[in-house]
Amino acid sequence: MAIDWKGLNPAPVTLFKDNGDVDFKANARLAQWLASIPGVKSLVILGHAGEGTFLTHDEQLELIRVYKDATPLPVVAGITGEGTKVAEIEAQKKFDVGASAALVYPNHGWLRFGYQKGAPQDRYKAIAQSGLECILFQYPAATKANYDLDTQLEIAAIPGVTATKNGVRDMKRWYNEIPALKNAFPDLAIMSCHDEWLLPTMFDVDGLLVGYGNMAPELLIEYLEAGKAQDYRLARKYHEQLLPITRAVYHRGSHMEGSVALKHALRARGLIDNVNVREPLKPLGDAADVEIRAAVRASGLTVVEEALAA
């Protein structure tokens, strides 16, 4: 049975102990809180927001097991292995420990050098053989790892590809390519991952797959429903309400800083008790913490005190 992507699909951060080890108990608590919110459809781990490529292979598999045991929601695992065969093996192992779907990252060599025609399609075919549903991941147009429309259409036609996470960040392409995908594949779920500017994409999507979903899932679900209803006035209201936290977390010097800032926002909401990260991420410092705490208050995000007591 295909996963229902038509809602919020948060990409949770990964929580660490003070000694640098993965804090599996804390990760389970975060998973349980997110899963308790109506409208959350899946939990997407081992991606950028979750520092997935900074975890060892064994840590990645154990985190999937923890999430699988903690909630009834489908667990989506980032697949990041470079070579197609490597990614195929990675996908099978993650399926075997309980993942239901794959967020398929491009071969990261393509970021610099681009890709040969047909290579992305073969990558998806290999990963889909594992039994994981696959999400077509469209990278920003500023990179060489984003797919032209013909490539997207060919990937979407592969059995097992049921959704796309589009982060093209080029609205000219969005307005041309998203309608083409919808027309060719009406059942393909369209999900935005434009954390830093969601409003322009909110009226064209079935769901969201965003790191943002860690810190403000309640409001994002309402925001998404306003977009689906084509209610611009209401969607604009949620955009304005969330703008302080959008700026504090995602309008920083580097988008990678957003992964760190997310943890500050989660701590400000009472959901976690530290902001530990793994290299190459760096701490943001006390000034950023003060800024993010103020933004959480300004956006009306409440403290979830019971989460840490669970």
Side-chain angles (χ1 to χ4, degrees):
M1 182 176 178
I3 294 170
D4 176 10
W5 303 109
K6 296 182 178 181
L8 179 63
N9 301 276
V13 298
T14 297
L15 304 174
F16 299 98
K17 299 177 181 178
D18 290 340
N19 67 358
D21 292 343
V22 177
D23 190 336
F24 292 110
K25 288 184 179 179
N27 283 289
R29 289 197 298 270
L30 178 60
Q32 289 163 353
W33 178 71
L34 289 168
S36 73
I37 298 168
V40 171
K41 300 296 187 177
S42 72
L43 298 173
V44 185
I45 62 174
L46 304 177
H48 289 139
E51 301 174 61
T53 54
F54 310 157
L55 304 188
T56 68
H57 176 72
D58 288 344
E59 287 172 333
Q60 290 186 26
L61 296 181
E62 183 60 23
L63 193 62
I64 293 169
R65 294 187 191 98
V66 166
Y67 265 75
K68 182 67 175 176
D69 290 344
T71 89
L73 292 179
V75 177
V76 184
I79 302 297
T80 57
E82 287 285 280
T84 301
K85 184 65 176 179
V86 173
E88 180 183 359
I89 294 169
E90 177 187 354
Q92 189 63 60
K93 289 182 177 179
K94 289 179 175 178
F95 176 81
D96 290 344
V97 296
S100 298
L103 177 58
V104 181
Y105 283 74
N107 183 311
H108 282 72
W110 298 343
L111 285 165
R112 180 179 178 188
F113 300 112
Y115 58 89
Q116 293 173 282
K117 293 293 185 181
Q121 294 90 319
D122 288 343
R123 182 173 176 84
Y124 279 82
K125 290 174 184 174
I127 291 168
Q129 291 177 7
S130 67
L132 296 172
E133 286 188 41
C134 291
I135 301 171
L136 163 56
F137 191 177
Q138 174 69 320
Y139 259 39
T143 75
K144 293 184 179 181
N146 76 94
Y147 305 132
D148 59 33
L149 179 56
D150 286 343
T151 300
Q152 291 177 72
L153 290 168
E154 289 175 11
I155 292 172
I158 296 168
V161 176
T162 58
T164 181
K165 172 187 176 179
N166 192 293
V168 69
R169 289 168 169 82
D170 177 335
M171 294 313 296
K172 182 173 69 173
R173 288 188 57 180
W174 176 279
Y175 293 140
N176 286 318
E177 294 174 5
I178 295 301
L181 283 165
K182 285 184 171 183
N183 182 61
F185 301 99
D187 294 331
L188 184 75
I190 307 295
M191 296 188 285
S192 175
C193 66
H194 290 64
D195 301 82
E196 66 271 47
W197 47 65
L198 286 170
L199 185 62
T201 65
M202 197 63 85
F203 304 96
D204 303 316
V205 297
D206 301 299
L208 302 175
L209 199 171
V210 283
Y212 210 135
N214 282 265
M215 60 181 176
E218 314 97 320
L219 289 179
L220 283 186
I221 288 166
E222 295 179 23
Y223 189 2
L224 176 61
E225 290 307 309
K228 287 183 179 182
Q230 302 298 300
D231 188 337
Y232 179 79
R233 186 184 298 274
L234 183 56
R236 181 79 192 192
K237 170 185 173 289
Y238 287 117
H239 164 79
E240 295 288 350
Q241 180 177 349
L242 288 165
L243 195 53
I245 193 69
T246 302
R247 287 171 171 155
V249 172
Y250 287 110
H251 295 182
R252 310 193 70 83
S254 162
H255 194 77
M256 290 302 295
E257 291 183 30
S259 296
V260 191
L262 281 172
K263 293 186 178 182
H264 285 266
L266 286 167
R267 184 168 67 175
R269 293 206 64 189
L271 288 158
I272 65 175
D273 60 7
N274 67 62
V275 292
N276 297 328
V277 294
R278 269 200 182 162
E279 292 278 357
L281 294 182
K282 296 290 187 181
L284 296 181
D286 293 341
D289 188 70
V290 171
E291 173 193 1
I292 294 164
R293 286 180 182 276
V296 167
R297 292 193 297 271
S299 292
L301 297 172
T302 57
V303 175
V304 188
E305 295 176 347
E306 65 270 20
L308 285 177

